[in-house]
Amino acid sequence: MKKIDSITVRLPYITQKIFIGCDIFDFALREIIAMRYDKLIVVVDSNFYKLIKSNLERCSENKIADIIVISPVKKYKEFNACSEIIQKMVQAKMNRNCCLIAIGGGYVGDITGFVATNYMRGIDFIQIPTTVMSMSDAIIGKVAINFGGIKNLLGSFYSPRYTFCDINLLLTLNKKEIIFGLVEVWKHTLVVNDNSIARKIADYLDGKSYPDIFFDLTKFSLKTKKKIVENDFNDKNGIHKALSLGHTYANYLEQKFNLRHGEAVFYGIILEIILSLHFNTINQDKFNSIKPLIKKFEENIGMLHKIQTLINIEEIINNLKFDKINQGNHFTFVLLTKNGFCVKSNVTSGNLREAFIEFSKFNIL
């Protein structure tokens, strides 16, 4: 019997069950088929579909009404992609006792979840994430799509009812994709000050991997996010904002430089570490303890110099005014502290100019 761990996330409107294990994809399909849904529609990443097509065909039992294959690129995380799925659901006469299944990374999960939360005022969806990023960060609490060139403008606080994290699926990824996902795991270590997990990330970046490393990292991230989301589901009391560490500047970088989400978040975290030093929420000793892992990430990502060369501070500041966590006329950023994080909601344009000047000179290698 394969080892399968589970995590239960208790949210105001749903109890989400997450299963984590190795080589559990067929187990997941059997469990889903056995559930009491009238019909299922599968939305699957085009890069992944060819690897699991035969698995889906073996488990269909006439319950899968359709399989929708989508490309996991930014232009598809728009309403047009959602509209295509909705049309298929209407054609299949999907009712409220039907379910969507998302198989893929964060884009596929967001698009599928957005449709699920809106179709007939909300139906269940189930997620089988296939990337480090989606397993560690994108499967609890919220879904969103882009609109009008603005990232994640439309969305809601909504989770899949069931999630199956098959660690073996990560074997299909190249090292860059894994490293981009590990940035989100690193983010979680920073906001809860967990040095032991940070060391495991460093081990992987140094090539010192071991069999259960991604099982351990995924479970840590999910437990961290579970605790945060259960305590601040609707992002009302500031706890949930911890998950936005690095994301304010990252949203701009993704659009400007066409970066992947993980690499953009990495540079967003560097900026917020600089802001943390600026506001004295961390001291130099704390910064020095973080620097070695920053260096290891930069050795693998290697975009810092290009970003520094093309910085346009006024353009960035104007763009950041539209970030969703801002309050009033000031900017809001998540900063690090000695033992975790704090939310700074009165960051001025002047503070940002100083931080970006320091960022433009930042040298870690």
Side-chain angles (χ1 to χ4, degrees):
M1 181 68 181
K2 297 180 178 68
K3 176 186 175 184
I4 302 176
D5 278 10
S6 65
I7 295 173
T8 300
V9 185
R10 292 179 173 83
L11 304 174
Y13 67 95
I14 197 173
T15 297
Q16 179 183 2
K17 192 82 168 180
I18 302 172
F19 299 92
I20 312 167
C22 296
D23 194 23
I24 64 168
F25 187 79
D26 283 341
F27 161 80
L29 291 180
R30 288 194 301 271
E31 289 291 305
I32 293 167
I33 293 297
M35 293 173 187
R36 296 179 179 274
Y37 293 114
D38 293 341
K39 293 178 183 176
L40 306 167
I41 282 185
V42 177
V43 183
V44 60
D45 177 331
S46 58
N47 294 328
F48 197 72
Y49 178 55
K50 59 182 178 290
L51 301 176
I52 59 156
K53 183 179 179 182
S54 60
N55 304 67
L56 290 174
E57 290 171 347
R58 285 200 307 270
C59 294
S60 66
E61 296 184 11
N62 298 318
K63 210 170 185 180
I64 297 179
D66 208 340
I67 298 173
I68 302 170
V69 182
I70 63 173
S71 178
V73 295
K74 290 177 186 176
K75 70 177 183 177
Y76 286 102
K77 196 181 166 181
E78 301 273 354
F79 190 77
N80 285 345
C82 299
S83 180
E84 291 175 17
I85 297 171
I86 293 168
Q87 288 174 14
K88 295 277 190 180
M89 295 170 73
V90 173
Q91 290 168 8
K93 296 181 171 56
M94 298 274 279
N95 58 37
R96 294 189 74 181
N97 193 45
C98 294
C99 180
L100 291 176
I101 304 168
I103 305 176
Y107 285 172
V108 175
D110 265 332
I111 292 166
T112 307
F114 182 83
V115 171
T117 190
N118 285 285
Y119 188 80
M120 292 188 172
R121 299 194 180 99
I123 66 169
D124 285 353
F125 82 106
I126 295 169
Q127 197 163 354
I128 303 178
T130 60
T131 64
V132 178
M133 179 78 68
S134 55
M135 287 189 192
S136 62
D137 191 62
I139 58 176
I140 299 176
K142 53 191 176 184
V143 294
I145 62 170
N146 306 333
F147 185 82
I150 301 175
K151 182 179 171 65
N152 293 339
L153 182 65
L154 304 178
S156 64
F157 295 101
Y158 205 72
S159 277
R161 185 170 291 276
Y162 299 96
T163 304
F164 298 87
C165 296
D166 183 351
I167 303 302
N168 280 25
L169 299 182
L170 303 181
L171 299 175
T172 66
L173 305 177
N174 61 46
K175 188 176 180 181
K176 279 276 190 183
E177 288 291 330
I178 290 173
I179 290 170
F180 296 158
L182 287 178
V183 171
E184 290 284 1
V185 183
W186 177 49
K187 175 193 77 177
H188 293 144
T189 72
L190 292 171
V191 298
V192 299
N193 195 35
D194 192 312
N195 294 322
S196 64
I197 294 295
R199 283 193 292 271
K200 290 182 179 182
I201 296 172
D203 285 345
Y204 177 81
L205 295 176
D206 283 337
K208 303 174 186 174
S209 187
Y210 58 90
D212 290 334
I213 187 168
F214 288 107
F215 183 93
D216 294 344
L217 295 177
T218 300
K219 191 171 181 180
F220 159 76
S221 275
L222 290 174
K223 283 189 169 183
T224 300
K225 191 158 187 180
K226 161 190 160 72
K227 185 175 181 179
I228 290 170
V229 174
E230 284 183 337
N231 282 284
D232 186 17
F233 174 67
N234 287 320
D235 198 5
K236 296 295 186 184
N237 62 27
I239 297 173
H240 201 132
K241 286 183 174 60
L243 301 174
S244 293
L245 177 69
H247 284 63
T248 299
Y249 184 36
N251 291 337
Y252 167 83
L253 289 174
E254 280 190 66
Q255 301 291 335
K256 181 70 175 180
F257 296 102
N258 197 32
L259 299 186
R260 301 298 296 271
H261 182 67
E263 56 186 336
V265 170
F266 171 61
Y267 297 111
I269 290 175
I270 291 176
L271 175 70
E272 293 185 8
I273 289 172
I274 290 170
L275 277 169
S276 301
L277 286 166
H278 178 88
F279 285 106
N280 297 313
T281 60
I282 62 171
N283 59 24
Q284 193 64 39
D285 287 342
K286 175 73 173 182
F287 175 59
N288 289 340
S289 72
I290 300 170
K291 279 174 67 175
L293 197 44
I294 296 176
K295 184 175 185 292
K296 292 179 192 298
F297 271 118
E298 177 58 18
E299 287 170 345
N300 284 277
I301 297 174
M303 286 289 293
L304 180 60
H305 179 68
K306 179 180 178 180
I307 292 169
Q308 290 172 324
T309 302
L310 298 175
I311 276 182
N312 181 328
I313 295 177
E314 297 308 315
E315 177 184 289
I316 297 169
I317 290 174
N318 187 58
N319 183 278
L320 298 189
K321 290 176 182 177
F322 297 96
D323 193 83
K324 62 183 179 295
I325 71 169
N326 288 338
Q327 298 176 3
N329 295 321
H330 291 116
F331 299 93
T332 298
F333 281 87
V334 180
L335 306 184
L336 297 184
T337 64
K338 179 181 179 181
N339 296 312
F341 77 98
C342 67
V343 177
K344 188 77 172 173
S345 58
N346 60 347
V347 179
T348 66
S349 296
N351 298 144
L352 276 182
R353 288 186 186 94
E354 292 176 14
F356 276 112
I357 289 170
E358 291 183 44
F359 179 89
S360 67
K361 300 174 183 177
F362 186 78
N363 183 18
I364 195 66
L365 298 180

